Amino acid sequence: MVTKLFVEFKDCYGRVVYTSETGKSREKEYDVAYREALNGAFVSVKALQYKYSGKSPAAPTKITTAASLQTTASAPAATQQTVTATPVVDVSDPNLLYAQPTENGYQLIDKTPKVVMKLLKTSRPDSFIAIKEGVQGSLNAKDNQWYFEYYQNDKLVSEKVSVKF
């Protein structure tokens, strides 16, 4: 089993302006393998020695700002996932939920492991359609945290949720 990963930088029009070399890892544990492969992919990015100048680029094919960059990773099962800035996770939280990928999103499980919530992907990486104990709502990233929001008796309820993706 080999984990392979590459980094793509896209401009604000979605055009790929740079693709890194593929980083590889033969580690069996996903977290370790992912980190090792990502470090390997960034070797070629660091070799660019790119420095932001603050000036508008002359041609639209050059790398612009960090805000317009996206990182795309190739997962071990040859599927692609987009890595985005996600809220900070407090691993010491006893209510921490772990995200397991499903065909159309994720399922969040607790430590027992019991499925607590099902998430369906939307067009935004920081927002999901969420179903918890028969209640449908949304899971949104706000203020560097995840919140499960739903309506109960015509009132909007917002619950903070600790999720490790």
mmCIF file of all heavy atoms in Angstrom, residues 71-124:
data_model
loop_
_atom_site.group_PDB
_atom_site.id
_atom_site.type_symbol
_atom_site.label_atom_id
_atom_site.label_comp_id
_atom_site.label_asym_id
_atom_site.label_seq_id
_atom_site.Cartn_x
_atom_site.Cartn_y
_atom_site.Cartn_z
ATOM 1 N N THR A 71 -5.310 23.479 -2.280
ATOM 2 C CA THR A 71 -4.490 22.286 -2.241
ATOM 3 C C THR A 71 -5.383 21.101 -2.515
ATOM 4 O O THR A 71 -6.407 20.952 -1.879
ATOM 5 C CB THR A 71 -3.838 22.129 -0.851
ATOM 6 O OG1 THR A 71 -3.147 23.326 -0.554
ATOM 7 C CG2 THR A 71 -2.895 20.960 -0.810
ATOM 8 N N THR A 72 -4.978 20.256 -3.451
ATOM 9 C CA THR A 72 -5.741 19.063 -3.770
ATOM 10 C C THR A 72 -4.876 17.867 -3.457
ATOM 11 O O THR A 72 -3.717 17.827 -3.832
ATOM 12 C CB THR A 72 -6.144 19.048 -5.255
ATOM 13 O OG1 THR A 72 -6.824 20.253 -5.540
ATOM 14 C CG2 THR A 72 -7.039 17.864 -5.558
ATOM 15 N N ALA A 73 -5.435 16.880 -2.761
ATOM 16 C CA ALA A 73 -4.666 15.710 -2.357
ATOM 17 C C ALA A 73 -5.243 14.469 -2.995
ATOM 18 O O ALA A 73 -6.444 14.339 -3.139
ATOM 19 C CB ALA A 73 -4.700 15.561 -0.848
ATOM 20 N N SER A 74 -4.376 13.541 -3.355
ATOM 21 C CA SER A 74 -4.820 12.256 -3.882
ATOM 22 C C SER A 74 -4.816 11.274 -2.720
ATOM 23 O O SER A 74 -3.781 10.986 -2.145
ATOM 24 C CB SER A 74 -3.874 11.795 -4.983
ATOM 25 O OG SER A 74 -4.233 10.519 -5.421
ATOM 26 N N ALA A 75 -5.975 10.766 -2.363
ATOM 27 C CA ALA A 75 -6.104 9.855 -1.232
ATOM 28 C C ALA A 75 -5.644 8.458 -1.632
ATOM 29 O O ALA A 75 -5.551 8.152 -2.804
ATOM 30 C CB ALA A 75 -7.550 9.836 -0.765
ATOM 31 N N PRO A 76 -5.371 7.566 -0.666
ATOM 32 C CA PRO A 76 -4.864 6.243 -0.981
ATOM 33 C C PRO A 76 -5.768 5.443 -1.918
ATOM 34 O O PRO A 76 -5.285 4.642 -2.691
ATOM 35 C CB PRO A 76 -4.777 5.554 0.380
ATOM 36 C CG PRO A 76 -4.765 6.634 1.381
ATOM 37 C CD PRO A 76 -5.460 7.792 0.755
ATOM 38 N N ALA A 77 -7.057 5.642 -1.875
ATOM 39 C CA ALA A 77 -7.964 4.861 -2.703
ATOM 40 C C ALA A 77 -8.140 5.491 -4.087
ATOM 41 O O ALA A 77 -9.117 5.239 -4.762
ATOM 42 C CB ALA A 77 -9.313 4.724 -2.009
ATOM 43 N N ALA A 78 -7.226 6.339 -4.510
ATOM 44 C CA ALA A 78 -7.213 6.985 -5.815
ATOM 45 C C ALA A 78 -8.400 7.930 -6.014
ATOM 46 O O ALA A 78 -8.767 8.249 -7.114
ATOM 47 C CB ALA A 78 -7.150 5.966 -6.944
ATOM 48 N N THR A 79 -9.022 8.375 -4.943
ATOM 49 C CA THR A 79 -10.053 9.396 -5.033
ATOM 50 C C THR A 79 -9.391 10.720 -4.694
ATOM 51 O O THR A 79 -8.332 10.745 -4.085
ATOM 52 C CB THR A 79 -11.207 9.127 -4.050
ATOM 53 O OG1 THR A 79 -10.690 9.127 -2.723
ATOM 54 C CG2 THR A 79 -11.884 7.810 -4.356
ATOM 55 N N GLN A 80 -10.010 11.825 -5.085
ATOM 56 C CA GLN A 80 -9.420 13.113 -4.778
ATOM 57 C C GLN A 80 -10.291 13.850 -3.790
ATOM 58 O O GLN A 80 -11.511 13.795 -3.862
ATOM 59 C CB GLN A 80 -9.248 13.946 -6.045
ATOM 60 C CG GLN A 80 -8.155 13.403 -6.923
ATOM 61 C CD GLN A 80 -7.723 14.415 -7.953
ATOM 62 O OE1 GLN A 80 -8.358 15.438 -8.134
ATOM 63 N NE2 GLN A 80 -6.639 14.141 -8.599
ATOM 64 N N GLN A 81 -9.644 14.532 -2.870
ATOM 65 C CA GLN A 81 -10.352 15.332 -1.899
ATOM 66 C C GLN A 81 -9.685 16.684 -1.822
ATOM 67 O O GLN A 81 -8.501 16.805 -2.061
ATOM 68 C CB GLN A 81 -10.362 14.650 -0.530
ATOM 69 C CG GLN A 81 -8.978 14.395 0.031
ATOM 70 C CD GLN A 81 -9.026 13.671 1.341
ATOM 71 O OE1 GLN A 81 -10.053 13.572 1.948
ATOM 72 N NE2 GLN A 81 -7.886 13.166 1.774
ATOM 73 N N THR A 82 -10.435 17.720 -1.522
ATOM 74 C CA THR A 82 -9.883 19.049 -1.412
ATOM 75 C C THR A 82 -9.573 19.326 0.044
ATOM 76 O O THR A 82 -10.410 19.157 0.908
ATOM 77 C CB THR A 82 -10.880 20.098 -1.938
ATOM 78 O OG1 THR A 82 -11.185 19.765 -3.289
ATOM 79 C CG2 THR A 82 -10.291 21.476 -1.880
ATOM 80 N N VAL A 83 -8.357 19.768 0.298
ATOM 81 C CA VAL A 83 -7.937 20.091 1.647
ATOM 82 C C VAL A 83 -8.101 21.591 1.811
ATOM 83 O O VAL A 83 -7.540 22.358 1.054
ATOM 84 C CB VAL A 83 -6.455 19.689 1.871
ATOM 85 C CG1 VAL A 83 -6.003 20.067 3.254
ATOM 86 C CG2 VAL A 83 -6.268 18.217 1.616
ATOM 87 N N THR A 84 -8.891 22.006 2.767
ATOM 88 C CA THR A 84 -9.129 23.418 3.000
ATOM 89 C C THR A 84 -8.830 23.743 4.456
ATOM 90 O O THR A 84 -8.650 22.860 5.271
ATOM 91 C CB THR A 84 -10.592 23.788 2.691
ATOM 92 O OG1 THR A 84 -11.430 22.986 3.515
ATOM 93 C CG2 THR A 84 -10.913 23.580 1.233
ATOM 94 N N ALA A 85 -8.811 25.026 4.750
ATOM 95 C CA ALA A 85 -8.595 25.436 6.130
ATOM 96 C C ALA A 85 -9.832 25.063 6.932
ATOM 97 O O ALA A 85 -10.911 25.567 6.683
ATOM 98 C CB ALA A 85 -8.344 26.927 6.201
ATOM 99 N N THR A 86 -9.677 24.165 7.871
ATOM 100 C CA THR A 86 -10.800 23.735 8.693
ATOM 101 C C THR A 86 -10.619 24.266 10.100
ATOM 102 O O THR A 86 -9.513 24.586 10.513
ATOM 103 C CB THR A 86 -10.919 22.201 8.736
ATOM 104 O OG1 THR A 86 -9.680 21.663 9.185
ATOM 105 C CG2 THR A 86 -11.259 21.641 7.375
ATOM 106 N N PRO A 87 -11.700 24.345 10.842
ATOM 107 C CA PRO A 87 -11.599 24.839 12.214
ATOM 108 C C PRO A 87 -10.650 23.998 13.068
ATOM 109 O O PRO A 87 -10.443 22.822 12.813
ATOM 110 C CB PRO A 87 -13.037 24.719 12.722
ATOM 111 C CG PRO A 87 -13.873 24.822 11.500
ATOM 112 C CD PRO A 87 -13.070 24.132 10.436
ATOM 113 N N VAL A 88 -10.109 24.630 14.080
ATOM 114 C CA VAL A 88 -9.180 23.983 14.994
ATOM 115 C C VAL A 88 -9.927 22.949 15.834
ATOM 116 O O VAL A 88 -11.033 23.199 16.291
ATOM 117 C CB VAL A 88 -8.519 25.037 15.905
ATOM 118 C CG1 VAL A 88 -7.588 24.386 16.905
ATOM 119 C CG2 VAL A 88 -7.793 26.066 15.078
ATOM 120 N N VAL A 89 -9.313 21.778 16.018
ATOM 121 C CA VAL A 89 -9.944 20.692 16.768
ATOM 122 C C VAL A 89 -9.280 20.564 18.125
ATOM 123 O O VAL A 89 -8.060 20.534 18.230
ATOM 124 C CB VAL A 89 -9.807 19.354 16.002
ATOM 125 C CG1 VAL A 89 -10.434 18.233 16.786
ATOM 126 C CG2 VAL A 89 -10.421 19.456 14.637
ATOM 127 N N ASP A 90 -10.104 20.487 19.177
ATOM 128 C CA ASP A 90 -9.599 20.255 20.527
ATOM 129 C C ASP A 90 -9.680 18.755 20.791
ATOM 130 O O ASP A 90 -10.739 18.219 21.077
ATOM 131 C CB ASP A 90 -10.444 21.031 21.537
ATOM 132 C CG ASP A 90 -9.973 20.822 22.968
ATOM 133 O OD1 ASP A 90 -8.872 20.265 23.163
ATOM 134 O OD2 ASP A 90 -10.713 21.214 23.892
ATOM 135 N N VAL A 91 -8.542 18.045 20.644
ATOM 136 C CA VAL A 91 -8.529 16.590 20.794
ATOM 137 C C VAL A 91 -8.801 16.138 22.217
ATOM 138 O O VAL A 91 -9.156 14.991 22.439
ATOM 139 C CB VAL A 91 -7.203 15.975 20.303
ATOM 140 C CG1 VAL A 91 -7.338 15.322 18.972
ATOM 141 C CG2 VAL A 91 -6.083 16.948 20.295
ATOM 142 N N SER A 92 -8.694 17.013 23.176
ATOM 143 C CA SER A 92 -8.969 16.633 24.564
ATOM 144 C C SER A 92 -10.464 16.710 24.889
ATOM 145 O O SER A 92 -10.874 16.305 25.971
ATOM 146 C CB SER A 92 -8.180 17.537 25.516
ATOM 147 O OG SER A 92 -8.612 18.875 25.372
ATOM 148 N N ASP A 93 -11.268 17.223 23.956
ATOM 149 C CA ASP A 93 -12.720 17.340 24.163
ATOM 150 C C ASP A 93 -13.338 15.943 24.262
ATOM 151 O O ASP A 93 -13.183 15.126 23.359
ATOM 152 C CB ASP A 93 -13.340 18.107 23.000
ATOM 153 C CG ASP A 93 -14.818 18.393 23.200
ATOM 154 O OD1 ASP A 93 -15.408 17.887 24.176
ATOM 155 O OD2 ASP A 93 -15.382 19.125 22.376
ATOM 156 N N PRO A 94 -14.041 15.627 25.355
ATOM 157 C CA PRO A 94 -14.643 14.296 25.505
ATOM 158 C C PRO A 94 -15.773 14.046 24.506
ATOM 159 O O PRO A 94 -16.131 12.905 24.250
ATOM 160 C CB PRO A 94 -15.171 14.280 26.942
ATOM 161 C CG PRO A 94 -15.324 15.716 27.306
ATOM 162 C CD PRO A 94 -14.298 16.475 26.512
ATOM 163 N N ASN A 95 -16.330 15.098 23.922
ATOM 164 C CA ASN A 95 -17.417 14.964 22.946
ATOM 165 C C ASN A 95 -16.912 15.021 21.507
ATOM 166 O O ASN A 95 -17.698 15.237 20.586
ATOM 167 C CB ASN A 95 -18.456 16.064 23.159
ATOM 168 C CG ASN A 95 -19.087 15.967 24.529
ATOM 169 O OD1 ASN A 95 -19.362 14.880 25.012
ATOM 170 N ND2 ASN A 95 -19.295 17.105 25.170
ATOM 171 N N LEU A 96 -15.613 14.832 21.303
ATOM 172 C CA LEU A 96 -15.023 14.899 19.974
ATOM 173 C C LEU A 96 -15.605 13.815 19.077
ATOM 174 O O LEU A 96 -15.717 12.655 19.473
ATOM 175 C CB LEU A 96 -13.495 14.730 20.062
ATOM 176 C CG LEU A 96 -12.744 14.770 18.748
ATOM 177 C CD1 LEU A 96 -12.837 16.148 18.102
ATOM 178 C CD2 LEU A 96 -11.280 14.413 18.975
ATOM 179 N N LEU A 97 -16.010 14.216 17.868
ATOM 180 C CA LEU A 97 -16.538 13.279 16.882
ATOM 181 C C LEU A 97 -15.523 13.119 15.764
ATOM 182 O O LEU A 97 -14.828 14.067 15.400
ATOM 183 C CB LEU A 97 -17.866 13.801 16.319
ATOM 184 C CG LEU A 97 -18.979 14.032 17.333
ATOM 185 C CD1 LEU A 97 -20.194 14.643 16.660
ATOM 186 C CD2 LEU A 97 -19.351 12.736 18.029
ATOM 187 N N TYR A 98 -15.452 11.918 15.221
ATOM 188 C CA TYR A 98 -14.494 11.606 14.168
ATOM 189 C C TYR A 98 -15.242 11.410 12.860
ATOM 190 O O TYR A 98 -16.232 10.683 12.804
ATOM 191 C CB TYR A 98 -13.708 10.350 14.518
ATOM 192 C CG TYR A 98 -12.891 10.511 15.773
ATOM 193 C CD1 TYR A 98 -13.420 10.187 17.016
ATOM 194 C CD2 TYR A 98 -11.607 11.017 15.723
ATOM 195 C CE1 TYR A 98 -12.681 10.350 18.174
ATOM 196 C CE2 TYR A 98 -10.860 11.186 16.879
ATOM 197 C CZ TYR A 98 -11.399 10.846 18.102
ATOM 198 O OH TYR A 98 -10.669 11.015 19.243
ATOM 199 N N ALA A 99 -14.768 12.055 11.791
ATOM 200 C CA ALA A 99 -15.430 11.979 10.488
ATOM 201 C C ALA A 99 -14.898 10.788 9.710
ATOM 202 O O ALA A 99 -13.687 10.615 9.567
ATOM 203 C CB ALA A 99 -15.184 13.263 9.708
ATOM 204 N N GLN A 100 -15.809 9.963 9.233
ATOM 205 C CA GLN A 100 -15.463 8.852 8.353
ATOM 206 C C GLN A 100 -16.085 9.147 6.998
ATOM 207 O O GLN A 100 -17.286 9.407 6.917
ATOM 208 C CB GLN A 100 -16.026 7.531 8.880
ATOM 209 C CG GLN A 100 -15.356 7.023 10.110
ATOM 210 C CD GLN A 100 -15.949 5.682 10.546
ATOM 211 O OE1 GLN A 100 -17.101 5.376 10.281
ATOM 212 N NE2 GLN A 100 -15.141 4.899 11.228
ATOM 213 N N PRO A 101 -15.277 9.102 5.923
ATOM 214 C CA PRO A 101 -15.826 9.397 4.593
ATOM 215 C C PRO A 101 -16.882 8.372 4.181
ATOM 216 O O PRO A 101 -16.757 7.188 4.472
ATOM 217 C CB PRO A 101 -14.613 9.299 3.671
ATOM 218 C CG PRO A 101 -13.425 9.322 4.550
ATOM 219 C CD PRO A 101 -13.851 8.849 5.885
ATOM 220 N N THR A 102 -17.927 8.852 3.524
ATOM 221 C CA THR A 102 -18.950 8.000 2.925
ATOM 222 C C THR A 102 -19.031 8.379 1.451
ATOM 223 O O THR A 102 -18.304 9.263 0.995
ATOM 224 C CB THR A 102 -20.328 8.200 3.596
ATOM 225 O OG1 THR A 102 -20.737 9.559 3.428
ATOM 226 C CG2 THR A 102 -20.301 7.847 5.071
ATOM 227 N N GLU A 103 -19.920 7.735 0.733
ATOM 228 C CA GLU A 103 -20.030 7.977 -0.703
ATOM 229 C C GLU A 103 -20.389 9.420 -1.038
ATOM 230 O O GLU A 103 -19.890 9.982 -1.998
ATOM 231 C CB GLU A 103 -21.084 7.036 -1.287
ATOM 232 C CG GLU A 103 -21.122 7.019 -2.791
ATOM 233 C CD GLU A 103 -22.084 5.983 -3.316
ATOM 234 O OE1 GLU A 103 -21.950 4.801 -2.948
ATOM 235 O OE2 GLU A 103 -22.976 6.370 -4.078
ATOM 236 N N ASN A 104 -21.233 10.045 -0.228
ATOM 237 C CA ASN A 104 -21.669 11.410 -0.532
ATOM 238 C C ASN A 104 -21.421 12.397 0.606
ATOM 239 O O ASN A 104 -22.086 13.405 0.700
ATOM 240 C CB ASN A 104 -23.150 11.412 -0.919
ATOM 241 C CG ASN A 104 -24.009 10.702 0.094
ATOM 242 O OD1 ASN A 104 -23.510 10.223 1.108
ATOM 243 N ND2 ASN A 104 -25.300 10.635 -0.154
ATOM 244 N N GLY A 105 -20.463 12.102 1.466
ATOM 245 C CA GLY A 105 -20.140 13.010 2.559
ATOM 246 C C GLY A 105 -19.346 12.320 3.648
ATOM 247 O O GLY A 105 -18.329 11.699 3.380
ATOM 248 N N TYR A 106 -19.849 12.402 4.884
ATOM 249 C CA TYR A 106 -19.173 11.813 6.033
ATOM 250 C C TYR A 106 -20.210 11.291 7.013
ATOM 251 O O TYR A 106 -21.361 11.705 6.995
ATOM 252 C CB TYR A 106 -18.321 12.857 6.778
ATOM 253 C CG TYR A 106 -17.190 13.422 5.971
ATOM 254 C CD1 TYR A 106 -17.356 14.575 5.219
ATOM 255 C CD2 TYR A 106 -15.944 12.809 5.965
ATOM 256 C CE1 TYR A 106 -16.312 15.100 4.477
ATOM 257 C CE2 TYR A 106 -14.899 13.328 5.233
ATOM 258 C CZ TYR A 106 -15.087 14.471 4.486
ATOM 259 O OH TYR A 106 -14.056 14.985 3.756
ATOM 260 N N GLN A 107 -19.761 10.412 7.899
ATOM 261 C CA GLN A 107 -20.552 10.091 9.077
ATOM 262 C C GLN A 107 -19.669 10.408 10.269
ATOM 263 O O GLN A 107 -18.474 10.133 10.264
ATOM 264 C CB GLN A 107 -21.036 8.649 9.077
ATOM 265 C CG GLN A 107 -19.958 7.596 9.107
ATOM 266 C CD GLN A 107 -20.548 6.194 9.063
ATOM 267 O OE1 GLN A 107 -21.731 6.016 8.831
ATOM 268 N NE2 GLN A 107 -19.713 5.203 9.296
ATOM 269 N N LEU A 108 -20.246 11.038 11.264
ATOM 270 C CA LEU A 108 -19.501 11.419 12.460
ATOM 271 C C LEU A 108 -19.772 10.381 13.529
ATOM 272 O O LEU A 108 -20.917 10.080 13.841
ATOM 273 C CB LEU A 108 -19.924 12.804 12.941
ATOM 274 C CG LEU A 108 -19.764 13.943 11.945
ATOM 275 C CD1 LEU A 108 -20.154 15.265 12.587
ATOM 276 C CD2 LEU A 108 -18.366 14.008 11.390
ATOM 277 N N ILE A 109 -18.679 9.838 14.074
ATOM 278 C CA ILE A 109 -18.817 8.811 15.101
ATOM 279 C C ILE A 109 -18.151 9.283 16.385
ATOM 280 O O ILE A 109 -17.233 10.089 16.364
ATOM 281 C CB ILE A 109 -18.203 7.464 14.655
ATOM 282 C CG1 ILE A 109 -16.712 7.621 14.350
ATOM 283 C CG2 ILE A 109 -18.933 6.897 13.459
ATOM 284 C CD1 ILE A 109 -15.988 6.308 14.205
ATOM 285 N N ASP A 110 -18.647 8.764 17.508
ATOM 286 C CA ASP A 110 -18.027 9.084 18.792
ATOM 287 C C ASP A 110 -17.018 7.984 19.129
ATOM 288 O O ASP A 110 -16.687 7.149 18.294
ATOM 289 C CB ASP A 110 -19.071 9.280 19.889
ATOM 290 C CG ASP A 110 -19.948 8.059 20.087
ATOM 291 O OD1 ASP A 110 -19.622 6.978 19.571
ATOM 292 O OD2 ASP A 110 -20.980 8.186 20.778
ATOM 293 N N LYS A 111 -16.529 7.971 20.356
ATOM 294 C CA LYS A 111 -15.472 7.024 20.751
ATOM 295 C C LYS A 111 -15.969 5.598 20.934
ATOM 296 O O LYS A 111 -15.169 4.680 21.019
ATOM 297 C CB LYS A 111 -14.792 7.513 22.032
ATOM 298 C CG LYS A 111 -14.010 8.774 21.805
ATOM 299 C CD LYS A 111 -13.356 9.260 23.068
ATOM 300 C CE LYS A 111 -12.626 10.558 22.788
ATOM 301 N NZ LYS A 111 -11.973 11.098 23.931
ATOM 302 N N THR A 112 -17.297 5.374 20.983
ATOM 303 C CA THR A 112 -17.794 4.028 21.294
ATOM 304 C C THR A 112 -17.621 2.997 20.187
ATOM 305 O O THR A 112 -17.499 1.843 20.555
ATOM 306 C CB THR A 112 -19.279 4.084 21.714
ATOM 307 O OG1 THR A 112 -20.023 4.858 20.848
ATOM 308 C CG2 THR A 112 -19.392 4.526 23.130
ATOM 309 N N PRO A 113 -17.580 3.053 18.969
ATOM 310 C CA PRO A 113 -17.960 4.040 17.960
ATOM 311 C C PRO A 113 -19.422 3.895 17.557
ATOM 312 O O PRO A 113 -19.847 2.858 17.104
ATOM 313 C CB PRO A 113 -17.059 3.707 16.790
ATOM 314 C CG PRO A 113 -16.830 2.253 16.890
ATOM 315 C CD PRO A 113 -16.919 1.911 18.360
ATOM 316 N N LYS A 114 -20.147 4.958 17.704
ATOM 317 C CA LYS A 114 -21.562 5.015 17.347
ATOM 318 C C LYS A 114 -21.735 6.181 16.381
ATOM 319 O O LYS A 114 -21.167 7.254 16.586
ATOM 320 C CB LYS A 114 -22.395 5.237 18.603
ATOM 321 C CG LYS A 114 -23.859 5.475 18.343
ATOM 322 C CD LYS A 114 -24.562 5.842 19.656
ATOM 323 C CE LYS A 114 -25.810 6.633 19.334
ATOM 324 N NZ LYS A 114 -26.267 7.424 20.457
ATOM 325 N N VAL A 115 -22.517 5.968 15.320
ATOM 326 C CA VAL A 115 -22.773 7.052 14.369
ATOM 327 C C VAL A 115 -23.682 8.071 15.043
ATOM 328 O O VAL A 115 -24.785 7.753 15.462
ATOM 329 C CB VAL A 115 -23.423 6.520 13.069
ATOM 330 C CG1 VAL A 115 -23.749 7.674 12.136
ATOM 331 C CG2 VAL A 115 -22.506 5.530 12.372
ATOM 332 N N VAL A 116 -23.190 9.295 15.164
ATOM 333 C CA VAL A 116 -23.922 10.359 15.845
ATOM 334 C C VAL A 116 -24.619 11.270 14.836
ATOM 335 O O VAL A 116 -25.727 11.729 15.074
ATOM 336 C CB VAL A 116 -22.963 11.191 16.736
ATOM 337 C CG1 VAL A 116 -23.665 12.362 17.373
ATOM 338 C CG2 VAL A 116 -22.329 10.311 17.782
ATOM 339 N N MET A 117 -23.955 11.502 13.703
ATOM 340 C CA MET A 117 -24.478 12.445 12.723
ATOM 341 C C MET A 117 -24.028 12.022 11.330
ATOM 342 O O MET A 117 -22.935 11.485 11.169
ATOM 343 C CB MET A 117 -23.939 13.854 13.041
ATOM 344 C CG MET A 117 -24.555 14.981 12.257
ATOM 345 S SD MET A 117 -23.859 16.616 12.662
ATOM 346 C CE MET A 117 -24.224 16.780 14.389
ATOM 347 N N LYS A 118 -24.875 12.268 10.339
ATOM 348 C CA LYS A 118 -24.516 12.021 8.943
ATOM 349 C C LYS A 118 -24.414 13.368 8.241
ATOM 350 O O LYS A 118 -25.248 14.249 8.455
ATOM 351 C CB LYS A 118 -25.553 11.142 8.257
ATOM 352 C CG LYS A 118 -25.552 9.742 8.798
ATOM 353 C CD LYS A 118 -26.433 8.837 8.000
ATOM 354 C CE LYS A 118 -26.361 7.449 8.633
ATOM 355 N NZ LYS A 118 -26.772 6.417 7.743
ATOM 356 N N LEU A 119 -23.346 13.528 7.436
ATOM 357 C CA LEU A 119 -23.106 14.774 6.717
ATOM 358 C C LEU A 119 -23.162 14.524 5.218
ATOM 359 O O LEU A 119 -22.572 13.556 4.734
ATOM 360 C CB LEU A 119 -21.739 15.352 7.074
ATOM 361 C CG LEU A 119 -21.453 15.617 8.541
ATOM 362 C CD1 LEU A 119 -20.045 16.162 8.711
ATOM 363 C CD2 LEU A 119 -22.462 16.577 9.127
ATOM 364 N N LEU A 120 -23.856 15.393 4.508
ATOM 365 C CA LEU A 120 -23.918 15.337 3.053
ATOM 366 C C LEU A 120 -23.184 16.545 2.496
ATOM 367 O O LEU A 120 -23.405 17.678 2.960
ATOM 368 C CB LEU A 120 -25.374 15.333 2.572
ATOM 369 C CG LEU A 120 -26.245 14.204 3.124
ATOM 370 C CD1 LEU A 120 -27.703 14.408 2.734
ATOM 371 C CD2 LEU A 120 -25.743 12.868 2.633
ATOM 372 N N LYS A 121 -22.319 16.313 1.518
ATOM 373 C CA LYS A 121 -21.534 17.394 0.940
ATOM 374 C C LYS A 121 -22.423 18.410 0.244
ATOM 375 O O LYS A 121 -23.479 18.082 -0.285
ATOM 376 C CB LYS A 121 -20.544 16.849 -0.089
ATOM 377 C CG LYS A 121 -19.424 16.046 0.491
ATOM 378 C CD LYS A 121 -18.510 15.578 -0.617
ATOM 379 C CE LYS A 121 -17.442 14.656 -0.069
ATOM 380 N NZ LYS A 121 -16.608 14.107 -1.138
ATOM 381 N N THR A 122 -21.962 19.663 0.252
ATOM 382 C CA THR A 122 -22.585 20.739 -0.508
ATOM 383 C C THR A 122 -21.509 21.311 -1.422
ATOM 384 O O THR A 122 -20.385 20.798 -1.461
ATOM 385 C CB THR A 122 -23.144 21.843 0.416
ATOM 386 O OG1 THR A 122 -22.057 22.462 1.110
ATOM 387 C CG2 THR A 122 -24.151 21.287 1.407
ATOM 388 N N SER A 123 -21.801 22.363 -2.122
ATOM 389 C CA SER A 123 -20.805 22.970 -3.011
ATOM 390 C C SER A 123 -19.731 23.732 -2.233
ATOM 391 O O SER A 123 -18.720 24.115 -2.797
ATOM 392 C CB SER A 123 -21.489 23.910 -4.002
ATOM 393 O OG SER A 123 -22.159 24.938 -3.311
ATOM 394 N N ARG A 124 -19.931 23.924 -0.939
ATOM 395 C CA ARG A 124 -18.947 24.632 -0.108
ATOM 396 C C ARG A 124 -18.254 23.663 0.832
ATOM 397 O O ARG A 124 -18.918 22.863 1.502
ATOM 398 C CB ARG A 124 -19.647 25.722 0.714
ATOM 399 C CG ARG A 124 -20.229 26.817 -0.156
ATOM 400 C CD ARG A 124 -20.848 27.890 0.659
ATOM 401 N NE ARG A 124 -19.992 28.249 1.780
ATOM 402 C CZ ARG A 124 -20.315 29.123 2.696
ATOM 403 N NH1 ARG A 124 -21.465 29.738 2.638
ATOM 404 N NH2 ARG A 124 -19.512 29.399 3.687
#
